[in-house]
Amino acid sequence: MYEGRRAQSPFDDSAADRLRRMGLTDGNGKPDRDAITVCSCVFAGQFFDDLCDYFESYEDVQELISNLSESAENAAGKQKFLLVCLQYDAIYRTLPDPVWWISGNPVAAELFAAGFTAHLKQLNQDR
């Protein structure tokens, strides 16, 4: 029986294997664009619902998404991912585990952040 604690860093040796097991990267660590797109849409949809639950008015949700979208357009890949992470912090939500593990792969993180912000913006426009 395993008695030790698993490493919790997305930058440790097990992180690449975790992403591979989730189907987000191949054996060489190259991100699967389609899988990351689906993942970013799922988490953006969940985050949109979290925003609607957190704020009392939908105008506050719209404002946050508009500000995030504008900031993300002017941000580099790593900065865009950090913006996403900061949005979770702003509403006192823990970063979901798959998103946490994605942060250890810069290319995957950039793809995820681009998809997340684009889908969140689309959800805001569709409402």
Side-chain angles (χ1 to χ4, degrees), residues 9-22 25 101 104:
S9 172
F11 305 101
D12 70 14
D13 293 340
S14 69
D17 289 333
R18 288 175 189 257
L19 291 175
R20 182 186 47 77
R21 285 191 295 269
M22 285 188 267
T25 61
W101 292 107

Side-chain angles (χ1 to χ4, degrees), residues 67-80:
N67 290 339
L68 173 61
S69 296
E70 185 177 309
S71 296
E73 287 176 10
N74 300 318
K78 291 178 185 178
Q79 292 171 329
K80 193 177 295 190

Side-chain angles (χ1 to χ4, degrees), residues 29-85:
K30 181 181 176 195
D32 180 323
R33 288 181 178 273
D34 292 336
I36 299 239
T37 297
V38 170
C39 184
S40 64
C41 288
V42 167
F43 286 107
Q46 181 184 32
F47 186 73
F48 183 85
D49 290 340
D50 288 345
L51 289 175
C52 291
D53 292 341
Y54 182 80
F55 288 109
E56 290 184 23
S57 74
Y58 186 66
E59 288 77 26
D60 292 334
V61 173
Q62 288 177 309
E63 182 179 345
L64 186 143
I65 293 173
S66 293
N67 290 339
L68 173 61
S69 296
E70 185 177 309
S71 296
E73 287 176 10
N74 300 318
K78 291 178 185 178
Q79 292 171 329
K80 193 177 295 190
F81 188 81
L82 181 58
L83 285 170
V84 170
C85 295

